[in-house]
Amino acid sequence: MSRGVRRVLAAVAAAATMTVGLVACSSHDRTVDPPAEIVVNRGQSSATPFRTAADGEVLLDVTTAAPGVSWGSPGSESAVVSLFVDNTYATDIVIPASFPIRRSLALGRLARGEHTLRVAFADDRSAQAATSARLTSLTYRTVAAQDASYQALAHAPVVYGRTGAVTPDAAAATQGSTTGGTAATGTAAAAGGPFQNAVDDTPLLAFHSEAPTAVAGHRLLTYSMVWSNEDGGSTTPELMAQWGRTTDIEWIYQVEINAAGAAVPGSALIQGPEHTTVPFTGRYEGTHPVLGTCTSNNTMCPNPDARMRFALSTADTLDPAAEARERELDANPWTYWVMAQEVQREGKVDNDKTPNSTTRISDPRNYVYLIIRKTTVGPPNTDDNWVGVSVGVRLSGSAQTYRSAKVYPIWALRRDVPAATAIELPAGTVAEDIASIEATRVVGAGRDLGARVQVESIERAFLLGPNGQPQQSFLFTPSRATLTPAAPTAVLFRRPTGPS
């Protein structure tokens, strides 16, 4: 079992223990007798009561499914339901599949007492083929002000969807020719409307990180969101090589809070267009900033005018210096299925298998997904001169090396935090076919200034199963190796052969 998996399991166990202990003192409180299921058909809504035993931020965990819906099928991409708490619009849920998916949503700060949740089938933003939505296993959690996790939830942003037209590059990607064997589905046209996140670049998950500041007792809260894809920015092959996914993960809001949990005036920032960091000047709902998705690569603006609203739970905490952000996807394996469905539907998969394509990828099930931990030592990397790592895989009985960066040095892994990548392998490859994994030092830009790369470990490695979701990781191994200009390649893993 990998260290990352152990951390996730430990966190789950700790959360379960905390919940049991705190329910008795009304800190985390569940509703009494929640409904077994809520089913809403097109044109219908359903209201159900729930009760909170304390003032606080309320989270709703719910399992969703929609018969006949599939994110990869044009005209059947999703069913959307809108949630209202006491007749106030709380969030949309984009349901991308007919199979059950567990979601965690934020209903905002609610007073102790009786409330009503109304679930409405959103006809105007649901796919034509979607006829109903099913919500089961509803669990309400109230996080009160005395809880350690309260402040992170109290300052979490609400994000409105994207309304602007896609950029020319994004339109070309979604409307592109059928050379790759997959025709476009018209998503580019839909992407210009007010409900584009019901079919394109939809928000999947949210989480936060915490760090101390220079002021004793203060904390810096940073909130991130995961989208199913990004229409702008990096190409699809670059995303797989440099990030090990085609989903988009961006930090969206940051704020410093003092020892009392209040936001420090002037400290609120958002990631704006062109990945700039700009002050947040928009409105709040209580302590929750209200943001809008305003670019094709999912960066933020204040004062949104969109019609789709997303309030996802940010309760999960991740330290990006210690864990790859892709761990959030690993803990929600259905996100890989959504990822694969979207790139297939949008014509970003090259079924003709063009070698080293710069615009399309292979079927996502043909990749091995790795996380590698490394450190650059010596002359620091700069934008003009940097070295990175390309991960190579060899299969049993073959002399060919399949590389994450392929033939493009600029696709090498540059960052010195746990970094995810994906390596394309022949269709039908299974974990047992992988004979060795190696790391190669690559000059990504400029001239070689002699920096060494210290590789520390492979954190996880898996392939996607036939259902498009991750199989169990087959590898966690300390793999300490030093890559230098004179010795740029080292084997990190070699499968044992012969009797054990």
Side-chain angles (χ1 to χ4, degrees), residues 78 86 348 384 442 484:
S78 72
D86 302 333
K348 296 174 182 177
D384 296 325
V442 175
T484 68

Side-chain angles (χ1 to χ4, degrees), residues 170-185:
T174 52
Q175 293 176 341
S177 73
T178 58
T179 303
T182 302
T185 65

Side-chain angles (χ1 to χ4, degrees), residues 157-402:
V158 173
V159 176
Y160 275 80
R162 194 173 64 201
T163 60
V166 294
T167 63
D169 287 345
T174 52
Q175 293 176 341
S177 73
T178 58
T179 303
T182 302
T185 65
T187 301
F195 306 129
Q196 60 188 272
N197 288 128
V199 298
D200 182 49
D201 290 14
T202 197
L204 303 177
L205 306 168
F207 60 95
H208 79 280
S209 62
E210 301 186 23
T213 72
V215 180
H218 285 212
R219 288 182 293 159
L220 187 67
L221 302 177
T222 302
Y223 297 87
S224 298
M225 183 169 277
V226 180
W227 287 265
S228 57
N229 192 226
E230 62 170 300
D231 283 334
S234 301
T235 68
T236 306
E238 286 179 292
L239 289 171
M240 290 294 270
Q242 296 183 321
W243 302 100
R245 52 180 164 80
T246 62
T247 49
D248 186 24
I249 305 179
E250 303 285 353
W251 78 268
I252 56 175
Y253 177 72
Q254 186 177 84
V255 66
E256 182 178 347
I257 61 172
N258 61 25
V264 174
S267 69
L269 303 170
I270 60 175
Q271 182 178 186
E274 304 297 329
H275 299 290
T276 56
T277 299
V278 297
F280 175 66
T281 58
R283 65 183 177 90
Y284 290 82
E285 295 179 357
T287 54
H288 298 280
V290 180
L291 314 180
T293 313
C294 59
T295 67
S296 59
N297 58 340
N298 303 316
T299 56
M300 298 289 109
C301 291
N303 304 314
D305 59 358
R307 295 172 63 185
M308 293 192 76
R309 174 184 169 106
F310 300 95
L312 305 182
S313 169
T314 58
D316 280 1
T317 307
L318 185 139
D319 179 357
E323 292 284 353
R325 297 178 300 167
E326 290 72 21
R327 286 294 190 185
E328 289 293 317
L329 303 179
D330 298 354
N332 296 271
W334 59 272
T335 58
Y336 285 90
W337 177 86
V338 172
M339 171 191 89
Q341 293 290 308
E342 184 158 338
V343 293
Q344 285 275 7
R345 171 165 51 85
E346 294 189 348
K348 296 174 182 177
V349 172
D350 182 2
N351 292 325
D352 290 342
K353 301 179 178 63
T354 305
N356 301 315
S357 172
T358 59
T359 58
R360 290 180 171 86
I361 62 171
S362 176
D363 187 315
R365 292 172 294 185
N366 297 339
Y367 289 75
V368 59
Y369 296 79
L370 295 175
I371 292 175
I372 189 169
R373 189 181 295 264
K374 69 175 184 68
T375 304
T376 306
V377 181
N381 283 333
T382 67
D383 290 341
D384 296 325
N385 294 278
W386 60 270
V387 296
V389 165
S390 179
V391 179
V393 172
R394 293 191 181 188
L395 305 180
S396 299
S398 173
Q400 182 173 352
T401 301
Y402 300 91

Side-chain angles (χ1 to χ4, degrees), residues 110-180:
L110 299 177
R112 174 182 177 177
E114 302 292 332
H115 300 278
T116 300
L117 176 73
R118 181 165 64 89
V119 180
F121 191 101
D123 301 48
D124 56 357
R125 59 204 70 181
S126 295
Q128 183 176 3
T131 59
S132 67
R134 182 170 182 259
L135 279 61
T136 58
S137 302
L138 284 77
T139 303
Y140 297 90
R141 294 179 285 154
T142 301
V143 182
Q146 63 266 31
D147 291 338
S149 58
Y150 174 80
Q151 297 301 340
L153 297 177
H155 296 279
V158 173
V159 176
Y160 275 80
R162 194 173 64 201
T163 60
V166 294
T167 63
D169 287 345
T174 52
Q175 293 176 341
S177 73
T178 58
T179 303

